[in-house]
Amino acid sequence: MTKTKFTRMAYNSADDMVFGRCKKPIKTGFDLEIGSGSTIPEINYAPRPEASKSPEKLISEYDRITNDILNRMIQLGVPSVVLETEHVQDMTINAKLGSEIAHIQKTILEEFYDEYGIKCGLRHTIADIRERKNHLDLKDGRFSLLMECFDSVASKGADLLSIESIGGKEVFDYSILKNDFRGILYSIGCLGAIDVENLWLEITKIAKKYKSVPAGDTACSQANTAMFLAGGLLDKNLAHTSAAVIRGASASRSLVANEAGAIGPGKDCGYENVILKAVTGMPVSQCGKSSSCAHSDIMGNLMMQCCDMWSNESVEYHGEFGGMSVQCWGEVLAYDCSMLNAAIETGNDKILRDILMVSDRYRDPQGFILSYDNAYEIGKEITNYTDDTYMRTKKAALKCCNLLIEGSRNKLNLSRFECTNLEKLRLELKALTDDSDEFQNECLDEYTKKVRGFIPGNYF
Amino acid sequence: MLDINPDKILIRYNVKVEDNMTADEAAEELYPTDNQIRLITKAIFEGDEDEVISCLKIAMDDGLDPLYLINEALMEGMEIVSRLYDEGIIYLPDVIISAHAMIDGIEYCKEMSNIPLEYNKGKVISFVVEGDIHDIGKTIVTILLRANGYQVIDLGRDVPVDDVVEAVKKERPLFLSGTALMTTTMHSFRQIKEKLEHEGIDVPFVCGGGAVTQDFVSHFDLGIYGEEAADVPKIAESILKGLNITQLREKFHRH
């Protein structure tokens, strides 16, 4: 059973949302408080390719990474930091390896905390290993393996537990390449939502057992796939209006984790998190301009607008002129956060928030949709249909279309292609039934036939 | 809430450079003049699988040869699609939809031919590296290659190094196409290359995907970096034309 329903917005108005502060801050790690009045850098990293050759090399790699980051944070006078370890598959499949790395990292954090008093915490994002060679295997052996790994890393000190779940990915991958919004909606609002609930009801239990934080999920396999396909302004792989609508709709899927017990901070790559913050009041991590080491996006400043943690998404561990990559990018994050925190301390947070937001608001439809005022409006649609994940996804998507159309009548300059795509999308969405059962039954039949590797038993 | 005149701080170049011509108008200018062929190329452009088959049937009933129709109608249609994609007039999903229509058309021509029609420009092996399940890039590459007349042996995702090497030994492809999203799985590329060299197999190895960089690929002898999925059919054409790995790198390594 899903535990919490968000039937009303956490904030009375969009303007109440700022960076560094949220309605439901959390305490974790070594004296860490997230969302209680300051922003915190969250540094994420990936080992070098050759480090995966043996468990010993991998463990040593994470040891070095952790020490390097903390040393740089101390050198810079940074008051608090979170390290995020995104598991490579071996670390999740071999839970002992994942937990050993968690243990070593946590021990290092403790040493730095003891010596310098730096407030710090460790997030472990478990690799979703349930995708097999030709199909997803969401419920059976691999599900147990995932939970074993969550249990294992939590027992060894991971403070924040996360995953980028893949439920609905098979139908999404099929649909996105065909501009099939019906399939996209089915993937996000139905299949993805079911899988997220199954996962997070269990993750929450594990977190409770070890007093770690069930932090949150992301619609990475859907909304980020769309964002990466959309690319830059001149890329022609996906209309940016489609990517914007998919992003808005994906909040409905990610929210299921919070309904099932996750309390934040949501994963940085969930660009939809600003909508989640508006709905739940929980803290969020975000990435943007300071994650250009991992990917390019076209809302780099805007994503700072309401963040509680600020992340670089991921960087390969290697040398740069200014030190190791994790130190260089950690430094960028730390100074970003210092600026945000100075704005909070001087009472200029809302002004800075607006400057960050408005600098990207009209750069692209995706940034426009995620501008905090529009994100708030999308959140309201979701809370209006809280009991029906299909309907709330559809309504969120339609709201995105309407916001973009309205925006294009003002300052949002859309290309003719984007306008045509948007109108087509809106009409397609509008034509879909409001009957969730009817939609799901039809889609189940349709996509079972169309999508090789779609196994309904993974969900039902 | 602050607001701004966006023209003061940014330029939406996609709007600025957008052609006045619609995609349909641009395609219209490129269709062949022969009406029968034109209808097939148009159906390919529109991605209308049923219309492609229906037009092919009429053309064959009128005595046109299936192989001729592949070369002069289907391939021509796909050429138009590729050109308009390269020119930024149409988007990837349009290309994919056309590609599916194209693949159906080729199959239909093969089926209807009186003689066994082995139509393929060359054999390609595609895969996602071991430990990596992100395969949307590989799917796009596979579809684009098939639509351009190549026979693609798709090994799928999370493919062990030895399986790739065995497949290459067995199939002797024109080239190998591998993708990886994560840095931690990329070392498979190097292992595959080493095993191929050990076997004395000198086959171009096109590598691409999220974490893969031109620098990384340049460090092993057989590697060619494919920055965009749409580059891969062009690399294939260049290999067919006889370009060696150095020449391919000169042409496709942009950085």
Side-chain angles (χ1 to χ4, degrees):
Chain A
M1 277 292 290
T2 296
K3 291 174 180 171
T4 313
K5 288 290 176 193
F6 296 95
T7 53
R8 52 196 293 269
M9 302 296 281
Y11 296 86
N12 291 329
S13 78
D15 189 52
D16 292 344
M17 295 200 300
V18 288
F19 48 77
R21 189 177 300 119
C22 67
K23 290 274 183 182
K24 296 173 185 167
I26 58 163
K27 291 183 179 180
T28 187
F30 297 111
D31 270 352
L32 201 61
E33 290 184 47
I34 304 169
S36 66
S38 65
T39 60
I40 299 165
E42 180 177 31
I43 306 168
N44 187 335
Y45 30 78
R48 287 169 283 203
E50 58 271 23
S52 299
K53 280 183 181 163
S54 71
E56 294 74 27
K57 282 193 171 179
L58 202 57
I59 290 168
S60 162
E61 188 89 336
Y62 282 106
D63 185 321
R64 289 159 199 260
I65 288 171
T66 309
N67 272 300
D68 282 351
I69 292 170
L70 284 157
N71 272 317
R72 180 61 65 97
M73 293 301 112
I74 296 300
Q75 295 284 16
L76 297 175
V78 178
S80 53
V81 66
V82 171
L83 272 64
E84 182 189 6
T85 298
E86 277 187 357
H87 281 208
V88 299
Q89 285 207 10
D90 285 351
M91 287 164 63
T92 298
I93 291 170
N94 178 1
K96 195 166 169 285
L97 176 61
S99 65
E100 198 170 339
I101 289 168
H103 173 68
I104 284 170
Q105 290 191 286
K106 193 64 185 289
T107 305
I108 297 168
L109 290 182
E110 190 170 17
E111 286 165 7
F112 275 85
Y113 173 73
D114 286 345
E115 188 163 358
Y116 301 102
I118 184 169
K119 297 171 184 172
C120 50
L122 177 67
R123 187 202 294 260
H124 264 229
T125 298
I126 306 306
D128 196 338
I129 50 168
R130 297 173 299 156
E131 190 161 18
R132 310 305 291 269
K133 196 166 167 57
N134 297 311
H135 62 278
L136 301 187
D137 177 13
L138 299 182
K139 275 184 169 173
D140 297 327
R142 289 279 170 133
F143 187 91
S144 311
L145 213 52
L146 269 187
M147 294 310 145
E148 190 188 324
C149 190
F150 272 114
D151 190 287
S152 199
V153 298
S155 74
K156 294 292 182 182
D159 301 305
L160 304 163
L161 303 179
S162 282
I163 190 169
E164 297 176 4
S165 64
I166 57 172
K169 180 181 182 296
E170 72 290 60
V171 172
F172 184 85
D173 281 357
Y174 170 87
S175 305
I176 190 75
L177 293 180
K178 290 179 180 292
N179 258 345
D180 172 7
F181 237 78
R182 181 184 164 81
I184 289 169
L185 223 60
Y186 183 52
S187 156
I188 295 172
C190 305
L191 303 178
I194 290 168
D195 183 52
V196 172
E197 178 168 334
N198 289 339
L199 278 170
W200 281 91
L201 287 174
E202 292 305 311
I203 297 167
T204 304
K205 283 182 202 162
I206 293 167
K208 198 173 175 188
K209 186 169 146 192
Y210 296 105
K211 294 191 171 57
S212 50
V213 173
D217 208 320
T218 153
C220 188
S221 60
Q222 283 114 345
N224 287 0
T225 300
M227 181 175 77
F228 295 138
L229 278 174
L233 292 179
L234 297 185
D235 286 326
K236 297 284 177 183
N237 292 334
L238 183 72
H240 287 208
T241 32
S242 286
V245 174
I246 290 169
R247 177 65 69 190
S250 74
S252 164
R253 179 193 187 278
S254 299
L255 181 66
V256 177
N258 303 100
E259 291 169 328
I263 57 170
K267 279 272 300 170
D268 61 291
C269 65
Y271 281 60
E272 67 275 14
N273 277 350
V274 60
I275 304 171
L276 264 61
K277 181 166 178 170
V279 171
T280 67
M282 292 172 187
V284 295
S285 187
Q286 299 278 204
C287 63
K289 72 185 173 71
S290 305
S291 59
S292 55
C293 48
H295 68 268
S296 173
D297 70 43
I298 33 187
M299 47 216 147
N301 286 329
L302 183 140
M303 293 314 298
M304 295 178 93
Q305 62 186 348
C306 295
C307 74
D308 299 293
M309 299 209 295
W310 183 233
S311 164
N312 64 315
E313 213 235 324
S314 188
V315 66
E316 187 194 75
Y317 183 59
H318 60 241
E320 303 277 9
F321 287 159
M324 295 307 283
S325 57
V326 290
Q327 298 179 304
C328 299
W329 289 94
E331 183 165 335
V332 171
L333 295 173
Y335 279 114
D336 282 344
C337 287
S338 183
M339 176 183 66
L340 297 175
N341 295 340
I344 294 170
E345 289 304 314
T346 56
N348 290 305
D349 47 352
K350 287 192 175 178
I351 292 172
L352 181 55
R353 173 199 65 189
D354 281 8
I355 290 170
L356 291 166
M357 180 275 291
V358 86
S359 73
D360 293 331
R361 182 181 179 88
Y362 303 109
R363 195 176 301 279
D364 191 78
Q366 296 169 90
F368 185 79
I369 280 303
L370 292 175
S371 296
Y372 67 87
D373 55 324
N374 288 331
Y376 188 87
E377 294 303 314
I378 297 163
K380 282 205 292 196
E381 289 296 314
I382 291 173
T383 53
N384 284 340
Y385 293 87
T386 193
D387 286 326
D388 184 338
T389 56
Y390 159 64
M391 271 305 284
R392 75 190 197 190
T393 308
K394 177 185 159 182
K395 288 290 179 180
L398 262 172
K399 186 69 185 177
C400 291
C401 291
N402 292 333
L403 286 167
L404 288 169
I405 289 167
E406 201 182 314
S408 70
R409 291 185 189 127
N410 293 300
K411 293 177 180 175
L412 180 65
N413 193 7
L414 296 180
S415 68
R416 197 181 57 245
F417 174 80
E418 287 168 334
C419 289
T420 309
N421 169 267
L422 184 58
E423 183 55 14
K424 188 171 163 281
L425 251 177
R426 191 184 67 83
L427 292 174
E428 237 179 273
L429 287 167
K430 220 175 151 193
L432 293 175
T433 177
D434 281 351
D435 184 328
S436 184
D437 290 340
E438 182 189 331
F439 178 78
Q440 296 204 46
N441 288 335
E442 283 177 10
C443 286
L444 179 64
D445 187 44
E446 182 180 344
Y447 294 102
T448 304
K449 286 177 192 153
K450 283 181 173 173
V451 182
R452 203 177 53 156
F454 172 43
I455 302 170
N458 273 322
Y459 305 94
F460 307 107
Chain B
M1 193 176 92
L2 294 180
D3 207 354
I4 201 167
N5 173 3
D7 295 341
K8 299 286 183 190
I9 59 163
L10 61 93
I11 302 170
R12 295 209 79 221
Y13 287 107
N14 56 329
V15 178
K16 193 176 175 187
V17 303
E18 190 174 39
D19 206 303
N20 285 328
M21 216 182 271
T22 66
D24 288 341
E25 287 164 354
E28 200 65 46
E29 290 200 342
L30 299 172
Y31 293 139
T33 47
D34 179 294
N35 194 46
Q36 216 151 28
I37 300 295
R38 182 181 173 282
L39 289 174
I40 298 170
T41 55
K42 188 167 189 275
I44 290 285
F45 176 76
E46 288 170 352
D48 188 337
E49 296 156 2
D50 295 339
E51 184 68 8
V52 168
I53 304 298
S54 159
C55 292
L56 284 171
K57 187 175 184 312
I58 293 168
M60 286 180 207
D61 288 346
D62 287 348
L64 291 180
D65 176 55
L67 184 58
Y68 173 82
L69 288 171
I70 290 178
N71 284 322
E72 300 303 321
L74 297 177
M75 294 305 288
E76 186 61 29
M78 207 58 214
E79 283 278 324
I80 294 169
V81 171
S82 300
R83 180 170 162 184
L84 294 183
Y85 174 71
D86 284 344
E87 288 174 7
I89 294 171
I90 60 172
Y91 275 55
L92 185 66
D94 304 317
V95 181
I96 300 284
I97 291 164
S98 292
H100 281 295
M102 168 82 179
I103 291 164
D104 283 3
I106 290 177
E107 285 309 309
Y108 182 72
C109 288
K110 283 183 181 173
E111 218 174 275
M112 299 308 287
S113 174
N114 291 327
I115 51 164
L117 196 58
E118 264 312 310
Y119 184 83
N120 83 71
K121 290 183 184 173
K123 204 183 274 180
V124 181
I125 290 177
S126 71
F127 70 99
V128 180
V129 295
E130 189 166 6
D132 205 329
I133 41 79
H134 302 88
D135 63 351
I136 197 164
K138 189 261 308 166
T139 304
I140 295 168
V141 166
T142 301
I143 293 169
L144 294 180
L145 282 169
R146 283 183 178 147
N148 280 278
Y150 296 89
Q151 181 194 353
V152 183
I153 297 159
D154 183 354
L155 301 181
R157 58 195 180 208
D158 189 12
V159 185
V161 169
D162 288 339
D163 289 6
V164 177
V165 175
E166 280 308 308
V168 173
K169 279 163 68 180
K170 184 178 166 214
E171 304 290 348
R172 297 285 166 166
L174 184 65
F175 68 95
L176 184 60
S177 170
T179 56
L181 183 74
M182 299 178 292
T183 53
T184 46
T185 60
M186 279 165 26
H187 63 277
S188 289
F189 284 141
R190 191 170 282 132
Q191 290 173 347
I192 291 166
K193 165 256 173 191
E194 281 164 6
K195 292 199 172 190
L196 289 176
E197 282 183 342
H198 181 71
E199 298 282 347
I201 299 171
D202 184 14
V203 61
F205 186 5
V206 180
C207 306
V212 183
T213 62
Q214 183 179 302
D215 277 355
F216 177 80
V217 178
S218 301
H219 280 121
F220 54 91
D221 300 341
L222 304 174
I224 299 151
Y225 177 54
E227 186 162 357
E228 303 281 343
D231 286 344
V232 183
K234 292 172 193 154
I235 295 174
E237 289 297 319
S238 298
I239 294 172
L240 274 183
K241 283 179 187 160
L243 269 63
N244 61 31
I245 287 171
T246 309
Q247 291 165 324
L248 288 167
R249 284 181 175 183
E250 272 170 24
K251 188 167 178 183
F252 293 102
H253 285 198
R254 299 176 181 135
H255 309 293

